[in-house]
Amino acid sequence: MTSQDNASAPKPAAKDPWDLPDVSGLVVGVLGGTGDQGRGLAYRLARAGQKVIIGSRAAERAETAAAELGLGIEGAENAECARRSDVVIVAVPWDGHAKTLEALRSELAGKLVVDCVNPLGFDKKGAYALKPAEGSAAEQAAALLPESRVTAAFHHLSAVLLQDESIEEIDTDVMVLGEDRADTDLVQALAGRIPGMRGVFSGRLRNAHQVESLVANLISVNRRYKAHAGLRVTDV
Amino acid sequence: MTSQDNASAPKPAAKDPWDLPDVSGLVVGVLGGTGDQGRGLAYRLARAGQKVIIGSRAAERAETAAAELGLGIEGAENAECARRSDVVIVAVPWDGHAKTLEALRSELAGKLVVDCVNPLGFDKKGAYALKPAEGSAAEQAAALLPESRVTAAFHHLSAVLLQDESIEEIDTDVMVLGEDRADTDLVQALAGRIPGMRGVFSGRLRNAHQVESLVANLISVNRRYKAHAGLRVTDV
């Protein structure tokens, strides 16, 4: 859809939902990049050719993880990671989520933030959903980062599969949520760089809670079937 | 796993999760069977060879719907539908959910109840999750039906695809939730009777809310991609 279409037609034809931007030149930061999920995402994105910076509270730990992963990945303290990145994936543990983001408000201003945190509790019956006061981790991020563009994605990935170098393709769709189409398109494009993975627009942030907490169900699936479950959206 | 295994070994080998019971002889009732979702499920189950009774508040409406669907489907008032069925699928609208189940407590005693209701609200921005006081529609059913065996399943199906006679296979997994393995196995087996469909155990009822409300996300997917989206669980 060109701007001309917009000007000439009262109701322009719907944009092709698979017409996604080129994101190959963007720098991706991963806060919490020394944890399993963050490491796995950093590895897959770098392997796909993306420039990746791992962030951690301690620069040294980030640098160690980056050196282990190779692929041109760099490590930095969280604030520097945020400053140097165009897109910042938030992969910190839920209990450090609010504090980490609050401290990075100015560094994350103007950035595209991708929250992939799953607020879960665990007891002897397994995992269960925690409901943040803001509705979801992503909505908490949006509340804490008013000058950032906040999206949610990358929830349903197996950190084990992401980190397994012998696996070529990650056979999973990534549900991408957000308020602004340009932002969700960009995150979808980023997901699509990883072989086998596909970013599928899946609604606004107010519907992020169920996407985040569905990880509790995937944990039950994994236990029953001894699997590393993910999701595919059918008919799309 | 036989009872002998239980007696002889302190930790018996895990039962094959795909070793599911034969459910071909069970009578399946569908409360709310005149609505789109209920009709679609009744049609698919009957087409797969299951004996199906559609329930409605008005016997006549149920009989009309049953006659339209054919395949030996019968129609009855809700109470008779529940009494005559072994397995009762609850496919009523959310706003009639509690009242319908309360009125059928005695008829549903001892029955296997399968709740497939999605508590959603709608406004100009689309669909959003409603959070029942009990946690989920399924947990509300369990609270209202203390003498029934309550499970949750069949949330992510497209009523359009279910009802389209030209479609042979329903390319979707069915997440099945419940407290008792014998019950969830039975529901999985029922889902598996429909070609293309597969029942996947996906946790306890306390994790039903996110499965129910994920339908809000699928509605966003459908709008963006002009699709009838469903879900597949990968690596299972």
Side-chain angles (χ1 to χ4, degrees):
Chain A
M1 192 173 71
T2 66
S3 57
Q4 203 186 345
D5 290 327
N6 267 324
S8 58
K11 197 177 179 185
K15 187 189 164 196
D16 176 356
W18 297 115
D19 179 15
L20 301 172
D22 176 9
V23 295
S24 58
L26 299 180
V27 177
V28 178
V30 185
L31 303 177
T34 59
D36 278 338
Q37 187 78 354
R39 257 180 112 92
L41 279 171
Y43 170 69
R44 287 290 157 184
L45 288 167
R47 182 165 153 164
Q50 208 75 31
K51 171 67 191 174
V52 175
I53 303 172
I54 280 180
S56 177
R57 274 175 300 178
E60 197 186 299
R61 262 197 318 172
E63 286 159 12
T64 303
E68 283 167 11
L69 290 172
L71 299 166
I73 298 174
E74 291 182 66
E77 195 271 329
N78 277 334
E80 188 191 334
C81 166
R83 239 186 329 261
R84 288 181 55 201
S85 301
D86 303 300
V87 180
V88 180
I89 296 175
V90 182
V92 300
W94 165 241
D95 61 10
H97 186 259
K99 195 179 283 186
T100 302
L101 296 184
E102 260 170 356
L104 297 172
R105 189 174 297 187
S106 61
E107 288 84 356
L108 290 171
K111 309 284 184 176
L112 178 56
V113 171
V114 189
D115 203 295
C116 68
V117 173
N118 307 301
L120 296 180
F122 294 87
D123 62 19
K124 62 184 189 310
K125 290 186 170 180
Y128 58 94
L130 298 176
K131 178 90 168 180
E134 297 83 355
S136 61
E139 287 163 289
Q140 182 182 82
L144 293 172
L145 305 171
E147 293 172 71
S148 304
R149 294 133 60 207
V150 175
T151 61
F154 299 116
H155 305 89
H156 304 144
L157 302 171
S158 158
V160 173
L161 300 185
L162 288 177
Q163 294 182 91
D164 184 338
E165 295 183 17
S166 72
I167 293 175
E168 299 284 333
E169 299 204 353
I170 301 295
D171 173 30
T172 311
D173 284 341
V174 168
M175 291 186 170
V176 178
L177 295 92
E179 301 304 308
D180 188 279
R181 177 139 182 190
D183 296 339
T184 54
D185 277 0
L186 196 153
V187 178
Q188 287 178 253
L190 198 61
R193 295 211 69 199
I194 298 173
M197 205 181 279
R198 187 177 64 154
V200 177
F201 174 74
S202 301
R204 294 174 180 273
L205 291 188
R206 68 175 180 174
N207 283 314
H209 173 62
Q210 56 265 30
V211 172
E212 295 172 357
S213 50
L214 200 71
V215 173
N217 303 84
L218 296 181
I219 289 171
S220 293
V221 171
N222 289 345
R223 189 182 289 192
R224 173 69 55 94
Y225 299 95
K226 306 189 190 325
H228 301 293
L231 293 176
R232 281 276 186 215
V233 182
T234 59
D235 200 42
V236 165
Chain B
M1 191 171 72
T2 66
S3 57
Q4 202 185 347
D5 290 327
N6 267 326
S8 58
K11 198 178 178 186
K15 187 188 163 196
D16 177 356
W18 298 114
D19 180 15
L20 301 172
D22 176 10
V23 295
S24 58
L26 300 181
V27 177
V28 179
V30 184
L31 303 177
T34 58
D36 278 338
Q37 186 78 354
R39 255 179 113 91
L41 279 171
Y43 170 69
R44 287 291 156 182
L45 288 167
R47 182 166 155 163
Q50 208 76 31
K51 172 67 192 173
V52 175
I53 303 173
I54 279 180
S56 176
R57 274 176 298 177
E60 198 185 299
R61 262 197 317 173
E63 286 158 12
T64 303
E68 283 167 11
L69 290 172
L71 300 167
I73 298 174
E74 289 182 65
E77 195 271 328
N78 276 335
E80 188 191 335
C81 166
R83 238 186 330 262
R84 289 181 55 199
S85 302
D86 303 301
V87 180
V88 181
I89 297 174
V90 182
V92 300
W94 165 240
D95 59 11
H97 185 260
K99 196 180 283 186
T100 302
L101 295 183
E102 261 170 357
L104 297 173
R105 188 174 298 186
S106 62
E107 288 84 355
L108 290 170
K111 309 283 184 178
L112 178 55
V113 171
V114 189
D115 204 297
C116 68
V117 174
N118 307 302
L120 296 181
F122 294 88
D123 62 18
K124 62 183 191 307
K125 289 186 171 181
Y128 57 94
L130 299 176
K131 178 90 169 181
E134 297 84 354
S136 60
E139 287 162 289
Q140 182 182 81
L144 294 171
L145 305 172
E147 292 171 71
S148 304
R149 294 133 61 208
V150 175
T151 61
F154 298 117
H155 304 89
H156 304 144
L157 302 171
S158 158
V160 173
L161 300 184
L162 289 176
Q163 294 182 92
D164 183 338
E165 296 184 15
S166 72
I167 293 175
E168 301 284 333
E169 299 204 351
I170 301 295
D171 172 30
T172 311
D173 285 341
V174 167
M175 291 185 170
V176 178
L177 295 94
E179 301 304 307
D180 188 279
R181 178 144 184 184
D183 297 338
T184 53
D185 276 359
L186 196 152
V187 178
Q188 287 178 251
L190 198 61
R193 296 212 68 200
I194 297 173
M197 205 181 278
R198 186 177 65 154
V200 178
F201 174 74
S202 302
R204 293 173 181 274
L205 291 188
R206 68 175 181 174
N207 283 316
H209 172 63
Q210 55 265 29
V211 172
E212 295 171 357
S213 50
L214 200 71
V215 174
N217 303 85
L218 296 181
I219 290 171
S220 294
V221 171
N222 289 344
R223 189 181 287 193
R224 172 68 55 94
Y225 299 95
K226 305 189 191 324
H228 301 292
L231 292 176
R232 282 276 184 214
V233 182
T234 58
D235 200 43
V236 166

